Amino acid sequence: MAGFVPLFGYEADPKGSEKFLASLKTPTLAEAGPALASADKDTFLGHYLLKVNPHWQRGAQAIGSCVGWGWSLSVDVLASCDILLRGDRESFGGRTIEAGTYGFSRVEARGQKSNNGGDGSYGAAAAKAVTRFGTLHYGQSYDGKVFDKPSGTLEKEWGRSGVPDELEPYAAQHKVAEVTLVQNFGDVAKAITNGYPVAVCSNLGFSMTLRDGWLKQMGSWAHCQMILGVRFGDRPGAFVENSWGDCYDGTVDAALPVQFQRSGGWVDADVIDKMLKGDDSYAIAGYTGFEPTQLPNWTDIYL
């Protein structure tokens, strides 16, 4: 951990968030899924991501682009759950390009031509980005252009000038259908146990030392992360995945896949309630994925 410097990039915009929520037919989870109930069963959606993308590793943001990272991973987890839990006949099209989600959220989703005001974004802008402009993916050929790995330089460029116009039609083919505000741990439990990840924007910080996989709330982070697990029993909580690589010291939760053991941690339910008070965190559902190249193209590996 020597020399580790945390990078943030969440800039709350209450007016922008309020305007976006007013545009939604069902802005809250209670309205979007009135019959949705928590299974009250420990759930970790990272298992599904690793089944469709077994070589996945959490990278580390290079600029203040955490909103792009938290939301892009949420899309990837949703795609894996659509395939494996909901039986969608589609292929996993590759990891979502963080620069695309970030750029859309800073420029196009705000109706701007450019955005030169430093780094950072907010949750509602990213929600608008993935639902109305779509997503781009590593490894796909966009008229001969292929992106193979995260790039802070690209994030900086697209965060200033937006996603190039020639790439927008490709992104539009792969949108998230629905986003809905989550406001407490109960909402998170309903979403996660039904296979819907949560992108969370918050000003709460945490210790960088895990205690058997748990994080202690400490200080302040203007940060976007994502939630992909819940647990109940004697210590209910949610698993919050960061965007700083394997950033945590301490003792891990050995029951988790190794790829997640030091890139995120469990957070107590009452702290999750505090994280969600900013009304800028969303569950996502209904991803439009990639046509399968087989029927579907991952079954020969996993079934």
Side-chain angles (χ1 to χ4, degrees):
M1 297 296 295
F4 171 73
V5 178
L7 291 169
F8 303 109
Y10 170 52
E11 295 183 340
D13 185 339
K15 290 184 178 179
S17 297
E18 184 178 350
K19 182 178 180 180
F20 175 73
L21 285 171
S23 73
L24 299 178
K25 292 181 180 178
T26 53
T28 67
L29 190 66
E31 294 168 297
L36 198 68
S38 170
D40 291 339
K41 178 181 179 182
D42 293 358
T43 303
F44 188 73
L45 302 181
H47 292 300
Y48 302 107
L49 177 63
L50 293 177
K51 283 185 177 181
V52 299
N53 188 10
H55 301 296
W56 180 88
Q57 292 285 339
R58 190 59 164 152
Q61 63 183 95
I63 65 167
S65 55
C66 60
V67 171
W69 282 73
W71 274 84
S72 291
L73 181 57
S74 297
V75 171
D76 293 345
V77 173
L78 175 63
S80 68
C81 290
D82 282 351
I83 292 169
L84 293 170
L85 293 179
R86 288 177 278 276
D88 284 7
R89 291 161 66 114
E90 64 186 53
S91 296
F92 185 76
R95 178 174 175 154
T96 300
I97 298 175
E98 296 86 1
T101 307
Y102 179 63
F104 277 137
S105 79
R106 280 178 53 88
V107 181
E108 288 89 350
R110 306 185 196 199
Q112 299 177 187
K113 296 294 185 181
S114 63
N115 185 344
N116 296 313
D119 295 330
S121 192
Y122 62 101
K128 188 174 181 180
V130 301
T131 55
R132 302 182 189 178
F133 293 91
T135 58
L136 297 166
H137 297 79
Y138 296 110
Q140 296 291 326
S141 177
Y142 299 121
D143 197 22
K145 178 68 173 177
V146 179
F147 300 91
D148 59 357
K149 61 182 179 181
S151 166
T153 300
L154 190 66
E155 290 170 12
K156 180 75 74 173
E157 177 185 339
W158 289 4
R160 298 288 188 274
S161 60
V163 175
D165 291 347
E166 63 269 21
L167 296 179
E168 290 193 19
Y170 295 105
Q173 297 174 30
H174 307 291
K175 297 179 181 179
V176 171
E178 187 174 6
V179 296
T180 184
L181 191 70
V182 293
Q183 297 175 294
N184 51 53
F185 176 74
D187 283 351
V188 169
K190 290 177 183 178
I192 297 298
T193 59
N194 284 279
Y196 303 113
V198 174
V200 55
C201 289
S202 167
N203 288 308
L204 266 68
F206 294 88
S207 166
M208 299 305 298
T209 301
L210 296 164
R211 293 173 175 81
D212 297 330
W214 287 85
L215 291 168
K216 181 180 180 181
Q217 198 273 309
M218 182 181 297
S220 178
W221 294 352
H223 201 28
C224 177
Q225 302 179 81
M226 65 87 62
I227 297 173
L228 71 165
V230 289
R231 61 194 306 177
F232 301 94
D234 295 336
R235 190 178 184 182
F239 189 86
V240 179
E241 177 71 6
N242 210 328
S243 52
W244 300 339
D246 287 343
C247 58
Y248 294 111
D249 288 323
T251 54
V252 304
D253 179 353
L256 292 172
V258 67
Q259 294 93 328
F260 293 95
Q261 289 179 4
R262 294 196 179 277
S263 59
W266 294 102
V267 174
D268 290 295
D270 62 329
V271 179
I272 295 293
D273 286 340
K274 295 176 185 177
M275 292 182 77
L276 300 174
K277 284 187 177 296
D279 283 347
D280 200 20
S281 301
Y282 298 84
I284 66 174
Y287 177 70
T288 302
F290 291 76
E291 289 296 320
T293 55
Q294 299 177 21
L295 192 57
N297 72 347
W298 45 266
T299 52
D300 58 332
I301 304 174
Y302 302 111
L303 298 181

